[in-house]
């Protein structure tokens, strides 16, 4: 069950009104626009039309917390346009699926990586997620090659992370600046749209790291700042520091999927909602388990992804796959698409991060944004994955 925060903390982060205060009827109106289905054309920037039934609000099952399922979730067929979603308090609008590039130069060779990026862009994708530590920087090199050869830098939102590269470890000022300069060179660009601190660094005062990011933003080398694998307490601390003029985090990354829920569905989800942070779940497919590829021990191999997925090959995991199989059949899509659609129907989720090792795998990932799960399907997935 999700961990609940004390009433006083809920009041502090702004999700529960103090005693005697009244709750506005529009408190739930800031949910991100729901995805819609076409994956054969670029995302439209047209505003979402009003939909009958939008005024219906399903009661929350979280005491004092945010409503988990988007209030505009309907029992209808997909809409005809996939609307972009805004990343927190930024001006970045992205397709609601972020292409994870951790496999580029690893399980996907150079030519395959470029073909995956081509397929992603052809289907309307514009949000790429990488890190300076992925394959020692090889992932960024391949993305930079693609951006230069295709001449589409202004059409793509590039997110990368610093803090784990062996040459520039941690979040000290010198490491951050050197890491960003190296990433810019590998990506063959003059700016990073969204820079993540890859991990919290308890050895460096957070104020110093934020001040360094402020300089990078003022110099135009970084547009917006985000946090990966930060605790709720550190996010609150960072927001307090931002009140003095330091840059705000506009997004967070955390592990979140049908098989790994408790870590996010606690203080972290509440703080993210209170601060208006866009949430980009990584391992959205639980290391490939939620694709249905691993259903018994005989399906596992010795590679790193299989080893991580093996933790889910048990009775609970098979029950989740059974429900995914049935719902996927009802929609005529793959279990992977339904798994991502479940994430996209959750409040605060903007763009789950998922990777592909072959171009044809991209289609199923992108299709998730057009799936409209019913309330009954959402609740069934919630229950089986508890």
């Amino acid at each position: 069950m999700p961990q609940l925060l004390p009433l006083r903390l809920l009041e502090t982060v702004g999700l529960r009104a103090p005693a005697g205060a009244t709750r506005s009827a529009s408190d739930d109106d800031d949910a991100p626009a729901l995805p819609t289905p076409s994956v054969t054309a670029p995302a439209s920037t047209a505003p979402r039309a009003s939909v009958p039934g939008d005024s219906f609000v399903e009661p929350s099952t979280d005491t004092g917390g945010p409503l988990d399922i988007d209030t505009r979730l309907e029992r209808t067929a997909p809409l005809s346009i996939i609307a972009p979603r805004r990343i927190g308090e930024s001006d970045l609008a992205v397709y609601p699926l972020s292409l994870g590039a951790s496999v580029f130069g690893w399980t996907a060779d150079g030519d395959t990586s470029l073909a995956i990026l081509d397929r992603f862009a052809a289907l309307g994708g514009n949000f790429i997620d990488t890190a300076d530590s992925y394959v020692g920087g090889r992932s960024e090199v391949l993305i930079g090659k693609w951006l230069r050869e295709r001449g589409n830098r202004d059409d793509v939102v590039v997110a990368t992370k610093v803090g784990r590269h062996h040459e520039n470890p941690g979040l000290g000022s010198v490491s951050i600046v050197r890491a960003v300069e190296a990433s810019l060179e590998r990506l063959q660009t003059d700016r990073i749209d969204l820079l993540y601190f890859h991990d919290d660094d308890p050895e460096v005062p957070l104020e110093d790291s934020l001040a360094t990011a402020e300089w990078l933003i003022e110099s135009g080398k970084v547009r917006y700042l985000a946090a990966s694998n930060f605790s709720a307490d550190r996010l609150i601390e960072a927001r307090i520091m931002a009140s003095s003029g330091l840059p705000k985090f506009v997004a967070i990354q955390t592990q979140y999927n049908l098989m790994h829920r408790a870590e996010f569905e606690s203080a972290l989800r509440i703080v993210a909602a209170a601060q208006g942070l866009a949430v980009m779940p990584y391992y959205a497919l639980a290391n490939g388990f939620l694709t249905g590829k691993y259903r018994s021990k005989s399906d596992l191999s010795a590679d790193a992804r299989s080893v991580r997925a093996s933790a889910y090959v048990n009775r609970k995991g098979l029950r989740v796959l059974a429900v995914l199989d049935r719902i996927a059949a009802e929609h005529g899509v793959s279990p992977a698409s339904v798994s991502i659609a479940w994430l996209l129907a959750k409040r605060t989720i903007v763009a789950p991060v998922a990777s592909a090792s072959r171009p044809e795998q991209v289609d199923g990932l992108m299709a998730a944004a057009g799936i409209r799960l019913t309330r009954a399907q959402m609740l069934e997935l919630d229950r089986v994955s508890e």
Side-chain angles (χ1 to χ4, degrees):
M1 294 294 292
Q3 173 186 343
L4 301 178
L5 293 185
L7 175 61
R8 181 169 297 177
L9 179 54
L10 291 172
E11 293 175 358
T12 300
V13 299
L15 275 173
R16 191 181 185 95
T22 58
R23 184 175 185 274
S24 167
S26 63
D27 282 355
D28 287 324
D29 291 345
D30 62 348
L34 278 177
T36 52
S38 171
V39 297
T40 58
S44 169
T45 57
R48 179 184 182 277
S50 59
V51 182
D54 273 7
S55 60
F56 177 79
V57 178
E58 183 170 301
S60 174
T61 56
D62 291 335
T63 305
L67 189 63
D68 188 36
I69 298 176
D70 195 304
T71 57
R72 292 172 291 193
L73 191 68
E74 297 180 334
R75 302 172 184 273
T76 62
L79 300 179
S80 58
I81 298 172
I82 295 179
R85 297 187 176 192
R86 193 163 300 280
I87 298 178
E89 297 178 11
S90 77
D91 63 357
L92 302 173
V94 297
Y95 189 97
L97 188 285
S98 180
L99 182 65
S102 62
V103 300
F104 291 176
W106 179 35
T107 58
D109 63 23
D111 290 341
T112 302
S113 298
L114 298 182
I116 290 169
L117 287 164
D118 282 339
R119 185 60 181 164
F120 179 65
L123 295 177
N126 70 332
F127 189 19
I128 302 172
D129 180 87
T130 186
D132 66 351
S133 59
Y134 290 166
V135 201
R138 177 65 175 162
S139 172
E140 289 182 330
V141 169
L142 289 169
I143 293 169
K145 174 181 171 66
W146 180 74
L147 292 172
R148 177 177 56 81
E149 292 181 352
R150 305 302 186 267
N152 59 355
R153 177 64 185 90
D154 292 340
D155 301 324
V156 178
V157 174
V158 177
T160 194
K161 311 175 195 71
V162 296
R164 287 191 187 179
H165 197 283
H166 66 280
E167 294 180 354
N168 302 298
L171 298 179
S173 294
V174 173
S175 285
I176 291 175
V177 172
R178 287 180 175 174
V180 167
E181 294 288 359
S183 286
L184 289 172
E185 183 176 352
R186 287 189 290 264
L187 290 165
Q188 302 189 50
T189 185
D190 61 348
R191 81 275 186 191
I192 294 167
D193 297 306
L194 187 64
L195 178 70
Y196 286 93
F197 290 163
H198 208 157
D199 294 293
D200 194 0
D201 185 351
E203 303 300 319
V204 177
L206 183 56
E207 184 175 8
D208 292 352
S209 302
L210 293 174
T212 304
E214 180 181 27
W215 178 82
L216 289 166
I217 291 171
E218 289 175 349
S219 67
K221 296 178 180 180
V222 171
R223 295 185 64 191
Y224 295 100
L225 188 64
S228 177
N229 302 311
F230 272 52
S231 69
D233 287 343
R234 288 291 265 179
L235 292 174
I236 293 173
E237 183 181 349
R239 184 53 62 97
I240 292 171
M241 291 179 181
S243 66
S244 65
L246 291 172
K248 294 179 180 179
F249 292 134
V250 299
I252 61 170
Q253 273 196 5
T254 186
Q255 184 175 355
Y256 185 41
N257 55 59
L258 278 164
M259 302 304 300
H260 188 102
R261 295 176 51 187
E263 181 180 359
F264 175 67
E265 294 179 356
S266 58
L268 191 58
R269 184 178 71 184
I270 292 175
V271 171
Q275 295 186 3
L277 298 171
V279 180
M280 318 297 186
Y282 65 81
Y283 291 157
L285 296 176
N287 293 292
F289 176 78
L290 294 174
T291 66
K293 178 180 179 180
Y294 308 107
R295 295 177 183 269
S296 68
K297 299 296 182 182
S298 62
D299 295 327
L300 301 170
S301 61
D303 64 81
R305 173 171 282 194
S306 289
V307 171
R308 292 193 292 261
S310 65
Y312 307 124
V313 182
N314 50 40
R315 281 188 290 182
K316 175 186 174 181
L318 294 179
R319 287 197 298 270
V320 171
L321 288 182
V323 173
L324 282 175
D325 287 340
R326 182 173 52 74
I327 294 176
E330 292 171 359
H331 288 270
V333 296
S334 68
S337 299
V338 174
S339 299
I340 296 174
W342 175 83
L343 286 170
L344 286 170
K346 298 287 186 176
R347 295 291 298 274
T348 73
I349 304 300
V350 169
V353 180
S355 60
S357 295
R358 300 188 304 276
E360 59 269 22
Q361 294 174 341
V362 175
D363 296 54
L365 302 179
M366 298 290 281
I371 298 171
R372 303 273 289 188
L373 299 176
T374 67
R375 295 177 188 274
Q377 289 169 341
M378 286 295 297
L379 292 172
E380 186 174 9
L381 287 167
D382 282 346
R383 292 189 186 106
V384 77
S385 61
E386 284 181 342

